[in-house]
Amino acid sequence: DILKMQKDLITNRDFKLINIKELLKKFEIYSKYRVKDHNINLEIISEDFKVKCIESQMLRVLMNLLDNSVYWLEKITENKKILIKICQEDRKAIIYYADNGPGLGVDDPNILFKPFVTKKDDGLGLGLYIIDEIVNIHNGLINVVEQDDNIPDEYVGAKFKIELNME
């Protein structure tokens, strides 16, 4: 029942051409007090371009990633950082997301994209599952990355790369 309810929330298929900078402005408004309350430095770097997507679902992807980071960054006491970098590569919109928390803590990070799998003490295990479903609806890919030239070395925690087709 929980999976069915979540699936219903992400079945909106209203694809529109969305300006990435405008999307990130909305995300900053939604996340402003959350990062402030948890003393997190949020760094957003983005090129200015448009991508065909479902805006509310892309915001949900970013919010779910932020929720995970906020939880895990509480495990460290200072210098909490999150990076979101969005750029174009080969007709794809690429979202890099990273934090400097304790990392994913599993041998096979792909297991975390399965429903009801969580490392949180009180988690449901649906956040990354929902993200994966949304990315799939957009015919994209999400991968955990160990190292990428687009993510500075100071981000040693969870690191993701999301690839979305531009059209």
Side-chain angles (χ1 to χ4, degrees):
D1 288 342
I2 292 172
L3 285 179
K4 186 177 178 184
M5 184 175 68
Q6 293 299 324
K7 192 83 161 173
D8 289 345
L9 292 173
I10 58 177
T11 54
N12 172 8
R13 306 287 186 179
D14 192 17
F15 284 84
K16 294 181 182 170
L17 206 53
I18 302 297
N19 181 288
I20 289 295
K21 293 263 189 188
E22 294 300 315
L23 177 80
L24 288 170
K25 282 181 189 174
K26 289 179 182 180
F27 173 73
E28 285 183 289
I29 291 167
Y30 295 149
S31 64
K32 179 180 178 178
Y33 295 107
R34 190 101 195 273
V35 295
K36 184 179 178 184
D37 288 347
H38 291 275
N39 198 28
I40 297 170
N41 178 26
L42 175 62
E43 180 181 9
I44 297 178
I45 302 167
S46 178
E47 295 176 5
D48 193 9
F49 64 95
K50 293 182 178 181
V51 64
K52 195 168 189 177
C53 68
I54 304 167
E55 183 180 47
S56 63
Q57 292 183 3
M58 284 296 103
L59 284 168
R60 189 162 188 192
V61 165
L62 294 173
M63 291 306 294
N64 281 5
L65 289 170
L66 176 73
D67 287 344
N68 283 343
S69 289
V70 167
Y71 178 88
W72 291 108
L73 286 170
E74 285 300 307
K75 308 294 183 199
I76 64 174
T77 56
E78 56 188 46
N79 202 23
K80 301 172 188 177
K81 294 181 182 183
I82 296 172
L83 169 71
I84 299 172
K85 182 177 181 180
I86 303 180
C87 58
Q88 295 179 74
E89 294 177 9
D90 301 325
R91 299 291 305 145
K92 292 185 181 197
I94 308 294
I95 303 170
Y96 294 98
Y97 183 96
D99 67 34
N100 68 332
L104 299 175
V106 293
D107 291 334
D108 178 11
N110 292 318
I111 194 149
L112 297 174
F113 293 106
K114 304 249 185 261
F116 307 115
V117 176
T118 184
K119 297 282 294 176
K120 293 180 183 177
D121 294 334
D122 57 353
L124 287 177
L126 293 176
L128 288 176
Y129 168 74
I130 290 168
I131 290 169
D132 189 47
E133 289 291 311
I134 291 171
V135 170
N136 285 332
I137 287 168
H138 287 81
N139 294 317
L141 295 170
I142 181 168
N143 291 300
V144 173
V145 292
E146 291 297 318
Q147 187 148 0
D148 192 293
D149 291 341
N150 287 287
I151 300 173
D153 292 339
E154 65 199 83
Y155 294 95
V156 296
K159 292 179 266 204
F160 299 94
K161 180 180 180 182
I162 300 170
E163 299 179 38
L164 303 171
N165 293 322
M166 293 291 288
E167 299 171 6

